[in-house]
């Protein structure tokens, strides 16, 4: 199948929970729309011929790299050719790949470019700017691609997988979390056209899917976050296979840490950790998400003695593993769990009417769970376990 | 048998794009030769006893350590118990022999074990390749990284030593001052910052090219070793790479293949990865640090840890 996607490289603003509004560059999926952070999710199927056209309305050239894809072709109107690093007439490298020029500079390239590749492998991938990437990638010119395996069929449990039937990657719900950093000084300098020294890069915000906590826990498509459409809250029911796709789109590496659960890493960079019969997958409590890399993990929350057949309250998980704050702040119904509500301890308020409870998911570099130094914030979200049968079709990426 | 190697520790002058010349301390392979960055590439057969005679032309003590290799360091302490050096020091103007047994094949660092926070930053490091049994430089059919059955046959081999330079620290240390806070501003492949990485091998202070050249279809072995302070996320754009060894431990052994595919590999400080790929269609493929702040010279992009794989 051929998939045609159009992106616009443009600007916009992102909101942070402390009231800041930060100028961004990014991609939108329609002419006239503001840039969103991260760029539009692209979901295709293994074997698809994927054509992505970038229409550039930024004041400088831009481009796309597709790490993990091979044989990417670029076409600026003269016919497709292998995408290549670009040099100027003096032999200076001007872009890591073929680029779309900025409007009004018709002397060189047109302001749009079409990249085409065959999605050869299932998995999780990034797309990101290859032009002035030290500036354009932190400004927001990145997004993620999910490639479904060729035999993907969400109606058949053995074929609702990340990497194909019999690869051990079946899942019930999936979540994509793209992590990055924001140095407001860079964004302000680009907005005002003033000088910025990359050696002084100092992030103040850390994002999951372009949002800082607690906005990470809002649903997709919140009206108050018009340019940050993707939530980062993981929601699942007991016993389900949860697929989390981490993608590091920033400059730095981030140790992402999920309280109370070990996840099994089944693939990195969109390549299954399996050689024939040799299973190379491994479990982690904290996944060091390297920049420019992706990590697909599958795990099941089964609780401390819980089983779907016996949803009787058992030992409450240790409070250290729950999302807690001061008395009155605890995100725990007070009941042992999952639908069996009871009296809650004195001083604790219930915010979760269904009886779900929460494990924190955050960067273990604790400075990164602040918004400009104020805890809590930044690269933090929650895993929420809901009573069986209450979630519907939440957690499937379209 | 014993392999005898001579090294000299000296001062020298680096050329970095946009920074002019920067003083450094490095190893030379000849009494009359210049200090170089990285130090001379040492190549020894597995199983040999290696004796490295270090002559110290610097004005302070220097030593050698061989991380990951079979040697017995003799740490040095002051009479008051304060730690001085990870291994016996060669006094200024003196010389000393350091011995190791090259018991395993692979790619290793040799580096100073004295005041390493200064001396390694200043350039006192280099790479050593230990060849597996049966390796014959004259017979390509014998070329493997780790011997038969390790899946590491290659046609083209390239060693890439990753590191960083703080030019202000270099100036301070070279003039006898104590370093201020580190603020690394140059990022190196084989002692060079892009675009110098693309220049061919030469006989200067930064003699090793960072460019990889191969014919389409050839099996290419990249041996990337991180001599710097930072972790680096090395990406080869547009080519699937197979990780065949980490820290010179082969991932393929008879009956068990633990190699895996990636496009970007996080290489921690002091670590090494052997990666393999089959050269694809003709073209230029960039190899760079996805920590994009290391693809600059000072504040200017492009630079730093960036080079090309040229497929013909």
């Amino acid at each position: 199948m051929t998939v045609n996607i159009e992106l616009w490289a443009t600007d916009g603003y992102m909101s942070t929970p402390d009231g800041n509004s930060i100028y961004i560059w990014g991609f939108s999926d329609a002419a006239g729309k503001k840039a969103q952070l991260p760029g539009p999710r692209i979901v295709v199927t293994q074997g698809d011929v994927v054509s992505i056209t970038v229409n550039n309305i930024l004041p400088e050239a831009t481009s796309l790299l597709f790490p993990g894809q091979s044989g990417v072709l670029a076409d600026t109107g003269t016919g497709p050719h292998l995408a290549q690093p670009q040099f100027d007439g003096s032999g200076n490298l001007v872009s890591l790949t073929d680029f779309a020029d900025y409007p009004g500079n018709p002397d060189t390239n047109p302001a749009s470019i079409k990249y085409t590749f065959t999605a050869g492998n299932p998995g999780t991938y990034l797309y990101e700017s290859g032009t002035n990437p030290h500036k354009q990638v932190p400004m927001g010119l990145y997004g993620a691609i999910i490639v479904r395996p060729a035999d993907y069929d969400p109606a058949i449990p053995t074929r609702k997988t990340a990497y194909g039937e019999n690869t051990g990657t079946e899942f019930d719900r999936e979540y994509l979390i793209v992590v990055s950093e924001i140095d407001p000084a860079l964004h302000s300098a680009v907005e005002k056209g003033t000088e910025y020294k990359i050696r002084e890069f100092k992030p103040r915000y850390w994002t999951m899917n372009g949002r800082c906590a607690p906005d990470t826990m809002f649903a997709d498509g919140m009206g108050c976050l018009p340019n940050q459409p993707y939530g980062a809250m993981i929601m699942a029911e007991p016993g389900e296979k949860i697929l989390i796709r981490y993608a590091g789109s920033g400059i730095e590496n981030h140790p992402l840490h999920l309280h109370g659960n070990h996840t099994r890493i089944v693939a990195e960079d969109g390549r299954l950790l399996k050689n024939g019969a040799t299973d190379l997958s491994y479990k982690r409590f904290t996944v060091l998400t390297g920049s420019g890399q992706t990590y697909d993990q599958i795990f099941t929350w089964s609780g401390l003695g819980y089983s779907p057949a016996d949803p009787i309250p058992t030992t409450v998980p240790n409070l250290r593993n729950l999302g807690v704050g001061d008395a009155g702040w605890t995100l725990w119904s007070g009941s042992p769990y999952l639908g069996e509500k009871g009296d809650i301890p004195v001083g604790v308020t219930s915010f979760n009417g269904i009886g779900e409870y929460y494990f924190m998911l955050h960067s273990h570099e604790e400075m990164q769970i602040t918004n400009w130094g104020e805890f809590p914030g930044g690269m933090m979200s929650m895993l929420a376990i809901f009573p069986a049968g209450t979630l519907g079709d939440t957690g499937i990426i379209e | 048998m014993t392999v005898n190697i001579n090294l000299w520790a000296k001062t020298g002058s680096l050329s970095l794009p946009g920074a002019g010349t920067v003083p450094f301390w490095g190893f030379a392979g000849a009494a009359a030769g210049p200090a170089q960055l990285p130090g001379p590439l040492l190549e020894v057969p597995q199983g040999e006893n290696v004796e490295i005679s270090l002559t110290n032309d610097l004005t302070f003590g220097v030593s050698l350590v061989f991380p990951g290799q079979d040697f017995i360091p003799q740490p040095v302490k002051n009479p008051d118990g304060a730690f001085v050096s990870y291994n016996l020091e060669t006094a200024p103007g003196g010389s000393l022999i350091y011995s190791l047994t090259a018991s395993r094949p692979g790619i290793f660092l040799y580096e100073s074990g004295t005041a390493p926070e200064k001396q390694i930053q200043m350039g006192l490091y280099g790479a050593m390749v230990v060849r597996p049994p049966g390796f014959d430089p004259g017979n390509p059919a014998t070329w493997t990284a780790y011997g038969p059955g390790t899946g590491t046959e290659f046609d083209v081999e390239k060693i890439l030593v990753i590191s960083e330079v703080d030019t202000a620290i270099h100036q301070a240390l070279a003039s006898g001052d104590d370093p201020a806070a580190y603020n690394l501003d140059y990022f190196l492949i084989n002692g060079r910052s892009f675009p110098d990485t693309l220049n061919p091998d030469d006989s200067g202070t930064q003699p090793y090219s960072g460019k990889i050249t191969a014919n389409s279809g050839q099996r290419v072995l990249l041996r990337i070793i991180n001599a710097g302070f930072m972790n680096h996320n090395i990406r080869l754009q547009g080519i699937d790479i197979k990780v065949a060894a980490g820290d010179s431990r082969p991932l393929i052994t008879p009956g068990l293949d633990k190699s895996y595919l990636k496009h970007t590999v996080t290489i921690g400080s002091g670590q090494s990865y052997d990666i393999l790929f089959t050269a694809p269609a003709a073209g230029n493929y960039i190899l760079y640090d996805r920590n994009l702040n290391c693809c600059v010279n000072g504040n200017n992009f492009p630079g730093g840890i960036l080079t090309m794989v040229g497929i013909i």
Side-chain angles (χ1 to χ4, degrees), chain A residues 4-318:
Chain A
N4 288 299
I5 292 158
E6 289 227 37
L7 298 175
W8 281 259
T10 182
D11 63 359
Y13 288 87
M14 68 173 285
S15 297
T16 63
D18 55 355
N20 210 341
S21 180
I22 297 175
Y23 182 71
I24 59 169
W25 287 357
F27 295 104
S28 76
D29 57 6
K33 263 177 84 171
K34 287 298 190 186
Q36 66 171 67
L37 193 70
R41 281 176 184 160
I42 295 172
V43 182
V44 299
T45 302
Q46 182 182 13
D48 282 351
V49 176
V50 182
S51 284
I52 299 178
T53 300
V54 177
N55 304 293
N56 186 16
I57 51 178
L58 292 170
E60 66 181 47
T62 194
S63 63
L64 282 182
L65 289 171
F66 299 95
Q69 313 298 339
S70 51
V72 177
L73 303 176
D75 185 359
T76 50
T78 56
H81 56 273
L82 187 65
Q84 287 280 282
Q86 296 297 302
F87 298 86
D88 68 12
S90 309
N92 300 310
L93 183 72
V94 293
S95 176
L96 300 183
T97 190
D98 292 80
F99 56 87
D101 218 317
Y102 60 93
N105 188 20
D107 296 345
T108 53
N109 286 344
S112 75
I113 186 167
K114 181 158 114 175
Y115 302 96
T116 303
F117 60 87
T118 300
N121 289 279
T124 308
Y125 302 93
L126 287 166
Y127 62 90
E128 59 187 27
S129 170
T131 306
N132 286 327
H134 65 303
K135 172 170 82 173
Q136 293 195 3
V137 173
M139 282 300 289
L141 287 162
Y142 61 82
I145 301 173
I146 292 174
V147 181
R148 302 287 187 202
D151 62 1
Y152 181 75
D153 185 346
I156 302 172
T158 59
R159 292 171 66 175
K160 185 181 177 184
T161 70
Y163 286 87
E165 195 165 15
N166 299 319
T167 58
T169 59
E170 299 85 0
F171 65 88
D172 295 297
R173 298 181 199 274
E174 67 176 331
Y175 294 90
L176 169 66
I177 297 187
V178 181
V179 293
S180 191
E181 319 89 27
I182 302 282
D183 177 357
L186 165 67
H187 294 252
S188 170
V190 171
E191 182 175 23
K192 295 172 183 162
T194 54
E195 189 189 11
Y196 174 79
K197 290 191 163 70
I198 195 70
R199 299 303 331 137
E200 293 168 9
F201 182 72
K202 188 167 177 60
R204 306 292 187 172
Y205 298 100
W206 293 268
T207 58
M208 288 178 155
N209 291 344
R211 298 179 180 182
C212 308
D215 295 351
T216 49
M217 290 171 266
F218 285 157
D220 288 359
M222 295 287 286
C224 59
L225 297 167
N227 302 330
Q228 295 147 278
Y230 305 127
M233 173 88 104
I234 296 166
M235 293 176 280
E237 297 178 7
E240 290 184 329
K241 294 190 176 77
I242 310 167
L243 166 63
I244 307 183
R245 305 167 182 267
Y246 287 154
S249 64
I251 299 293
E252 300 175 342
N253 302 340
H254 299 288
L256 300 179
H257 168 74
L258 175 57
H259 286 194
N261 291 272
H262 294 243
T263 63
R264 177 175 295 283
I265 299 175
V266 298
E268 296 181 5
D269 290 359
R271 297 295 180 268
L272 186 67
L273 288 168
K274 200 170 193 182
N275 286 331
T278 306
D279 181 2
L280 303 177
S281 68
Y282 59 97
K283 279 190 169 181
R284 280 291 199 202
F285 199 53
T286 301
V287 178
L288 183 61
T289 303
S291 72
Q293 298 166 63
T294 70
Y295 302 80
D296 293 339
Q297 312 144 71
I298 296 175
F299 70 104
T300 296
W301 183 85
S302 56
L304 302 173
Y306 173 92
S307 80
D310 184 19
I312 304 301
T314 62
T315 310
V316 179
N318 190 310

Side-chain angles (χ1 to χ4, degrees), chain B residues 130-193:
Chain B
V130 180
R131 297 299 186 190
F135 184 92
D136 174 2
N139 179 4
T142 68
W143 293 357
T144 75
Y146 291 94
T150 62
T152 54
E153 296 82 5
F154 64 87
D155 302 306
V156 175
E157 177 189 53
K158 184 71 184 177
I159 291 155
L160 300 173
V161 180
I162 305 294
S163 62
E164 316 95 16
V165 160
D166 178 332
T167 52
I169 295 283
H170 275 243
Q171 299 288 359
L173 286 171
S175 11
D177 295 338
D178 270 337
Y182 278 92
N183 184 9
L184 303 165
D185 54 353
Y186 279 81
F187 306 92
L188 316 179
I189 298 175
N190 288 350
R192 303 177 178 191
S193 296

Side-chain angles (χ1 to χ4, degrees), chain A residues 204 206 253-257 259 286 360-380:
Chain A
R204 306 292 187 172
W206 293 268
N253 302 340
H254 299 288
L256 300 179
H257 168 74
H259 286 194
T286 301
M360 189 186 288
L361 166 61
H362 67 104
S363 168
H364 217 290
E365 220 170 309
E366 312 288 2
M367 187 62 194
Q368 298 175 352
I369 51 175
T370 68
N371 297 323
W372 211 316
E374 283 296 312
F375 173 89
M379 198 173 281
M380 178 204 292

Side-chain angles (χ1 to χ4, degrees), chain B residues 109-303:
Chain B
L109 287 172
Y110 64 91
E111 58 188 20
S112 177
T114 302
E117 83 287 1
K118 297 174 187 169
Q119 295 193 3
I120 292 176
Q121 164 61 209
M122 286 297 279
L124 287 163
Y125 56 82
M128 179 189 297
V129 181
V130 180
R131 297 299 186 190
F135 184 92
D136 174 2
N139 179 4
T142 68
W143 293 357
T144 75
Y146 291 94
T150 62
T152 54
E153 296 82 5
F154 64 87
D155 302 306
V156 175
E157 177 189 53
K158 184 71 184 177
I159 291 155
L160 300 173
V161 180
I162 305 294
S163 62
E164 316 95 16
V165 160
D166 178 332
T167 52
I169 295 283
H170 275 243
Q171 299 288 359
L173 286 171
S175 11
D177 295 338
D178 270 337
Y182 278 92
N183 184 9
L184 303 165
D185 54 353
Y186 279 81
F187 306 92
L188 316 179
I189 298 175
N190 288 350
R192 303 177 178 191
S193 296
F194 180 87
D196 294 352
T197 50
L198 301 182
N199 294 338
D201 286 356
D202 62 33
S203 56
T205 56
Q206 294 140 282
Y208 303 125
S209 174
K211 179 159 188 195
I212 299 103
T213 306
N215 295 320
S216 191
Q218 281 189 315
R219 297 164 300 182
V220 182
L221 170 67
L222 299 184
R223 322 194 77 169
I224 311 178
I225 188 157
N226 184 352
F229 290 179
M230 297 175 62
N231 304 337
H232 294 282
N233 298 347
I234 303 300
R235 170 182 288 171
L236 181 48
Q237 178 64 40
I239 303 178
D240 263 9
I241 53 180
K242 179 193 268 194
V243 179
D247 286 358
S248 296
R249 298 289 178 175
L251 293 172
I252 302 175
T253 50
L256 183 63
D257 182 353
K258 295 174 75 178
S259 67
Y260 55 95
L261 298 175
K262 288 275 285 174
H263 54 67
T264 307
V265 181
T266 297
I267 305 181
S269 175
Q271 296 186 318
S272 72
Y273 284 91
D274 286 287
I275 62 181
L276 285 163
F277 63 90
T278 300
N284 282 319
Y285 297 83
I286 46 173
L287 186 150
Y288 65 110
D289 192 347
R290 181 52 182 71
N291 179 342
L292 297 164
N293 288 2
C294 298
C295 296
V296 296
N297 296 329
N299 286 300
N300 302 313
F301 176 90

